[in-house]
Amino acid sequence: MDNFKKKFIEEASEHIQDLEQALLELENNPTDKPLIERVFRAMHSLKGSGAMFGFEKISEFTHNLETVYDLVRNGEMQVSGDLLNITLTSVDHLQNLLKEEDNLSDTVLEQHKGLIEKIEEFIQVNTKSVIAISSNKGASDSATFKTYFILFQPNEDIMNNGTNPLFLLDELTSLGECIAIPILSKVPSLEDFDPNKCYAGWEIILATDAEINAITDVFIFVEDDCILDVNQICDFNVLNSPVFVEKIQELRVLDREIGLPQLKEIISNLSKPEVKQTSKNKEEKTTQTSKDSTISSIRVASDKLDQLMNLVSELVTTQARLALYAETDGSTELLAIAENVQKLSRQLRDNAFSIVLIPIENMLTRFQRLVRDLSRDLKKDVVFIAEGSETELDKTIIENLTDPLMHILRNSLDHGIELPELRKQKGKNPQGTILLKAFYSGANVIIQVFDDGSGIDPTFIRNKAIQKGLISPDAQMSKKEILDLVFIPGFSTASNITDVSGRGVGMDVVKRKIADIRGEVEIESDIDAGTTLTIKLPLTLSIIDGLLVKIEDVYHVIPLTVIDKIYAIEHTKVMKAFNNTVVLDGEQIPFFYLRNEFGLTEFTESPYEQIIVIRYEDKRVGLVVDTVIGEYQAVLKPLGKHYKKQEHISGATILGDGTIALVMDTNKAIKQFSNKLITVEEPK
Amino acid sequence: MKDGIALKINSYLTFKLGEEVFGANVSKVLNILEMTKITKVPKAPVYMKGVINLRGSVLPLIDTRIKFDMSETEYTTNTCILVLDIDMNGDSVHVGALVDSVQEVIEIEDSQISPPPSIGSKYRSEFIEGMAKIGDEFIMLLNMDLIFSANELSLLKESTGEVQLEEGEVKK
């Protein structure tokens, strides 16, 4: 049973998330019908599945909420700020209910009661004017009753999902008057009877004023596990007719399925004018079936995806071995096959990658909510804009990115954006803006968070750093270097500590968390113009296209995306180079002799070496290696904790012949090499 | 000790570094490999020998002799790699340990194990779980978790400079 609960919790959190998002959108478009529908649907699903899995508190609670939005849906109530506030708090409460499950703490229970009261109050205040309307409606009620015939034949293993078909029937009964006739023809003899299986089906005649959608909604969770056929048989309440009910009871004794045609016959005998209706029914039926057949997406457990990624990685490694073998073997046929396998595995790899990529949109709802609530608490007027929400990232990156981004946003809200009055004084729009921008840049995804707040004062940071003893008072630092100080552990810029931010564990944690996913973060700020934080992230964590090079007897892989050009260079030119720069194509390029950097002796095998020119920040930098082997698809494997300090290597990969090649992180490598230059110079 | 289960297994794998015999609880040893091709990682500490390919995954390799302040391992036909499962700050980490030769697996009852000598030992006592006398030989039972997750270069007692001198002489 735990399994079902887990599944429910997973589903419910998705519904809650969807609900939250829809509500936030609703705030901007309070009259948008489809949005209201979406809100309602999410609530309804929550209620239904909550009841089915024994989460009564959730179900009871959403029922109340649903009532409110039913009024909204029917145009009897307007979406207002108050309503959204209550609903959003309710959403939080639902999350708590879901988290704590059975052992609810007293505070949550109290909140539960309080919220329900609030909601009920809300309904009462807002429905006074509505009573008149609904009583009007009441008069026409009997006329809007329709009778449906529902064939519900669950699959034998429906109970494996924890679904009890009888609950569904109960829910149907709540919609209106209903007769359910079981179909028992499939029930086997006692010896073959498996108590875990459901052999029965039902023919249900339902008279209700609800729409056909309300009926199919009842079955929304079992759609795939049953044969369901809903047909309107006439547009009045046929169950009011004693003749009809009698007829049905008669048929029931026969213990045979009644079936739609027979039912229609009975009805048409009852009253002639209904004949027309049957042709209409057919149309309805065809639209119903065509709706079911298309599935645009499926849900897959994430560990299955991880497994797929692992297998793809293994395949790529094995393919490299095959390619190597084919080349040494020399058989043209084998070479052709190997090439084909290479092409296929590359496609498969790209495909598998795109599966684990998810748009950053998934985390934006949370941010939107954060900005909305926090700006209210801080009495600031802030609008949150997200651009490029369709930008996709590896799901593990997204998972690890949410926390640091939350922190950045909190900082922007708390310290960045000023109070409206102050903004007016400064001649700015009283409404502040936080802009989150995501876009692709080469092999990276860049996420920028920009706020038009007060910005960071470099002199303030400088003084604080001096006061904390982080820098010496006479240190010569550029503005960028000063701003970078905020990333040092223990440096919190908030002069007074608030519960929002400023506990001294600020930007350094952000930086570390982003570094954990191989990302980098930079800060730019101008006083009174605002602050921009730029986060640079790798697209994926597991496979990269690289260039295989050799230094002494060790193979290295340099990511292809950073490589600009490769030149052959005379060894003597490298050794005699002044200030470690060479002129290539008329441009002066600084370079690093990797053998030197790695503490190896000079290269002697050949008078020529290769210089690989790569892009580093906005400059071009050369790396000198012994030889270039060729392009290589590298499956990244971690080097392990023991090599955590060797930052210039981001991982290792296994070559076709089983040897290991090291994958270089050129950004960090160059940073390391150039830092070393500075520290060497300083003692002088 | 935290790993009560590991202590219940009384089998120890003995191995040699130079002439000294050491024991590692078998629950820590996953595998014994023959020497294989090592890929050096540049700019790493000396005791980090490099990485090897262990059936498709990358295994960091530590020169145990350097950790014990002996000279770098010379590769012979007896040189082996112990694949260890180390508890590193709560995470299970796999690491390879180069040793001169592997001896045997023996049963040592708790009663046969005496606490590490606090005086006269070259090594810091927290790295040694106990001493056992088997026949004429003393076997040092090692705390593999601590030894192979520690970042220090050497396991020697820092205070006893005299012992280090002795070691230096042995090197020559």
Short mmCIF file of all heavy atoms in Angstrom, two decimals, chain A residues 468-495:
data_model
loop_
_atom_site.label_atom_id
_atom_site.label_comp_id
_atom_site.label_asym_id
_atom_site.label_seq_id
_atom_site.Cartn_x
_atom_site.Cartn_y
_atom_site.Cartn_z
N LYS A 468 36.50 43.36 8.60
CA LYS A 468 36.52 41.94 8.93
C LYS A 468 37.90 41.33 8.75
O LYS A 468 38.07 40.12 8.94
CB LYS A 468 35.53 41.18 8.04
CG LYS A 468 34.10 41.56 8.31
CD LYS A 468 33.15 40.45 7.96
CE LYS A 468 31.78 40.77 8.52
NZ LYS A 468 30.84 39.68 8.41
N GLY A 469 38.83 42.12 8.33
CA GLY A 469 40.19 41.64 8.17
C GLY A 469 40.39 40.74 6.97
O GLY A 469 41.31 39.93 6.93
N LEU A 470 39.50 40.86 6.01
CA LEU A 470 39.62 40.02 4.81
C LEU A 470 40.65 40.59 3.84
O LEU A 470 41.29 39.85 3.11
CB LEU A 470 38.27 39.88 4.13
CG LEU A 470 37.20 39.13 4.94
CD1 LEU A 470 35.83 39.27 4.29
CD2 LEU A 470 37.56 37.66 5.09
N ILE A 471 40.76 41.91 3.81
CA ILE A 471 41.78 42.54 2.95
C ILE A 471 42.51 43.58 3.78
O ILE A 471 42.01 44.05 4.79
CB ILE A 471 41.16 43.21 1.69
CG1 ILE A 471 40.04 44.18 2.12
CG2 ILE A 471 40.66 42.18 0.72
CD1 ILE A 471 39.55 45.07 0.98
N SER A 472 43.69 43.94 3.31
CA SER A 472 44.44 44.97 4.05
C SER A 472 43.97 46.33 3.57
O SER A 472 43.55 46.49 2.42
CB SER A 472 45.94 44.80 3.81
OG SER A 472 46.26 45.14 2.49
N PRO A 473 43.98 47.35 4.46
CA PRO A 473 43.40 48.66 4.13
C PRO A 473 44.03 49.31 2.90
O PRO A 473 43.38 50.10 2.23
CB PRO A 473 43.68 49.49 5.38
CG PRO A 473 43.89 48.50 6.47
CD PRO A 473 44.48 47.30 5.83
N ASP A 474 45.29 48.96 2.58
CA ASP A 474 45.90 49.64 1.44
C ASP A 474 45.91 48.78 0.18
O ASP A 474 46.66 49.03 -0.75
CB ASP A 474 47.34 50.07 1.80
CG ASP A 474 48.15 48.91 2.35
OD1 ASP A 474 47.54 47.86 2.64
OD2 ASP A 474 49.38 49.05 2.49
N ALA A 475 45.07 47.76 0.17
CA ALA A 475 45.03 46.87 -1.01
C ALA A 475 44.49 47.63 -2.21
O ALA A 475 43.52 48.38 -2.11
CB ALA A 475 44.15 45.66 -0.71
N GLN A 476 45.15 47.45 -3.35
CA GLN A 476 44.68 48.06 -4.59
C GLN A 476 43.78 47.05 -5.29
O GLN A 476 44.21 45.99 -5.68
CB GLN A 476 45.86 48.39 -5.52
CG GLN A 476 46.75 49.49 -5.02
CD GLN A 476 46.08 50.85 -5.15
OE1 GLN A 476 45.38 51.11 -6.12
NE2 GLN A 476 46.28 51.71 -4.16
N MET A 477 42.52 47.39 -5.41
CA MET A 477 41.60 46.42 -6.02
C MET A 477 40.70 47.10 -7.03
O MET A 477 40.26 48.23 -6.84
CB MET A 477 40.74 45.77 -4.93
CG MET A 477 41.53 44.87 -4.01
SD MET A 477 40.49 44.30 -2.68
CE MET A 477 39.90 42.77 -3.36
N SER A 478 40.42 46.36 -8.10
CA SER A 478 39.47 46.88 -9.08
C SER A 478 38.06 46.69 -8.52
O SER A 478 37.84 45.97 -7.56
CB SER A 478 39.61 46.12 -10.40
OG SER A 478 39.18 44.80 -10.22
N LYS A 479 37.12 47.35 -9.17
CA LYS A 479 35.74 47.27 -8.71
C LYS A 479 35.25 45.82 -8.74
O LYS A 479 34.57 45.34 -7.85
CB LYS A 479 34.87 48.15 -9.62
CG LYS A 479 33.43 48.23 -9.14
CD LYS A 479 32.62 49.13 -10.06
CE LYS A 479 31.16 48.81 -9.94
NZ LYS A 479 30.38 49.28 -11.07
N LYS A 480 35.64 45.11 -9.82
CA LYS A 480 35.21 43.73 -9.97
C LYS A 480 35.75 42.87 -8.82
O LYS A 480 35.06 42.04 -8.25
CB LYS A 480 35.71 43.19 -11.31
CG LYS A 480 35.12 41.86 -11.71
CD LYS A 480 35.54 41.51 -13.13
CE LYS A 480 34.94 40.22 -13.62
NZ LYS A 480 35.31 39.04 -12.91
N GLU A 481 37.01 43.10 -8.49
CA GLU A 481 37.63 42.33 -7.41
C GLU A 481 36.93 42.60 -6.08
O GLU A 481 36.73 41.69 -5.27
CB GLU A 481 39.12 42.67 -7.29
CG GLU A 481 39.97 41.98 -8.35
CD GLU A 481 41.38 42.51 -8.38
OE1 GLU A 481 41.58 43.73 -8.18
OE2 GLU A 481 42.29 41.72 -8.59
N ILE A 482 36.55 43.87 -5.88
CA ILE A 482 35.87 44.22 -4.63
C ILE A 482 34.51 43.52 -4.57
O ILE A 482 34.14 42.93 -3.56
CB ILE A 482 35.71 45.75 -4.51
CG1 ILE A 482 37.08 46.39 -4.33
CG2 ILE A 482 34.80 46.10 -3.34
CD1 ILE A 482 37.08 47.89 -4.39
N LEU A 483 33.78 43.57 -5.70
CA LEU A 483 32.46 42.94 -5.70
C LEU A 483 32.57 41.43 -5.47
O LEU A 483 31.72 40.83 -4.83
CB LEU A 483 31.74 43.22 -7.03
CG LEU A 483 31.22 44.64 -7.21
CD1 LEU A 483 30.55 44.80 -8.56
CD2 LEU A 483 30.26 45.02 -6.10
N ASP A 484 33.65 40.85 -5.98
CA ASP A 484 33.84 39.41 -5.81
C ASP A 484 34.02 39.02 -4.34
O ASP A 484 33.88 37.85 -3.98
CB ASP A 484 35.04 38.91 -6.62
CG ASP A 484 34.66 38.67 -8.06
OD1 ASP A 484 33.45 38.57 -8.33
OD2 ASP A 484 35.56 38.59 -8.92
N LEU A 485 34.33 40.01 -3.51
CA LEU A 485 34.52 39.72 -2.09
C LEU A 485 33.25 39.15 -1.45
O LEU A 485 33.32 38.44 -0.45
CB LEU A 485 34.93 41.00 -1.34
CG LEU A 485 36.35 41.49 -1.57
CD1 LEU A 485 36.54 42.83 -0.90
CD2 LEU A 485 37.35 40.48 -1.03
N VAL A 486 32.09 39.48 -2.01
CA VAL A 486 30.84 38.99 -1.40
C VAL A 486 30.75 37.47 -1.45
O VAL A 486 29.97 36.88 -0.73
CB VAL A 486 29.58 39.60 -2.04
CG1 VAL A 486 29.57 41.09 -1.91
CG2 VAL A 486 29.44 39.17 -3.49
N PHE A 487 31.57 36.84 -2.29
CA PHE A 487 31.52 35.38 -2.39
C PHE A 487 32.42 34.71 -1.35
O PHE A 487 32.49 33.49 -1.27
CB PHE A 487 31.96 34.92 -3.78
CG PHE A 487 30.99 35.32 -4.85
CD1 PHE A 487 31.39 36.15 -5.88
CD2 PHE A 487 29.69 34.85 -4.84
CE1 PHE A 487 30.50 36.53 -6.87
CE2 PHE A 487 28.80 35.22 -5.82
CZ PHE A 487 29.20 36.06 -6.85
N ILE A 488 33.13 35.51 -0.57
CA ILE A 488 34.02 34.92 0.43
C ILE A 488 33.20 34.47 1.63
O ILE A 488 32.30 35.18 2.09
CB ILE A 488 35.09 35.95 0.86
CG1 ILE A 488 36.03 36.19 -0.32
CG2 ILE A 488 35.86 35.46 2.08
CD1 ILE A 488 37.07 37.24 -0.05
N PRO A 489 33.45 33.27 2.15
CA PRO A 489 32.69 32.76 3.28
C PRO A 489 32.69 33.74 4.45
O PRO A 489 33.70 34.35 4.76
CB PRO A 489 33.42 31.47 3.67
CG PRO A 489 34.08 31.03 2.42
CD PRO A 489 34.41 32.27 1.65
N GLY A 490 31.53 33.89 5.08
CA GLY A 490 31.45 34.74 6.26
C GLY A 490 31.22 36.19 5.95
O GLY A 490 31.15 37.01 6.85
N PHE A 491 31.07 36.52 4.68
CA PHE A 491 30.86 37.91 4.31
C PHE A 491 29.38 38.13 4.02
O PHE A 491 28.85 37.66 3.06
CB PHE A 491 31.69 38.25 3.07
CG PHE A 491 31.76 39.72 2.80
CD1 PHE A 491 32.84 40.46 3.24
CD2 PHE A 491 30.73 40.36 2.13
CE1 PHE A 491 32.89 41.80 3.01
CE2 PHE A 491 30.79 41.73 1.91
CZ PHE A 491 31.88 42.45 2.35
N SER A 492 28.71 38.83 4.90
CA SER A 492 27.31 39.13 4.65
C SER A 492 27.15 40.63 4.67
O SER A 492 27.60 41.32 5.58
CB SER A 492 26.43 38.50 5.72
OG SER A 492 25.11 38.93 5.51
N THR A 493 26.52 41.17 3.61
CA THR A 493 26.49 42.62 3.47
C THR A 493 25.35 43.27 4.24
O THR A 493 25.34 44.48 4.39
CB THR A 493 26.36 43.01 1.99
OG1 THR A 493 25.23 42.33 1.47
CG2 THR A 493 27.61 42.67 1.24
N ALA A 494 24.39 42.49 4.69
CA ALA A 494 23.25 43.09 5.37
C ALA A 494 23.71 43.73 6.66
O ALA A 494 24.29 43.07 7.51
CB ALA A 494 22.19 42.06 5.65
N SER A 495 23.45 45.02 6.81
CA SER A 495 23.91 45.69 8.04
C SER A 495 23.05 45.21 9.21
O SER A 495 23.53 45.04 10.30
CB SER A 495 23.82 47.20 7.92
OG SER A 495 23.63 47.58 6.60
#
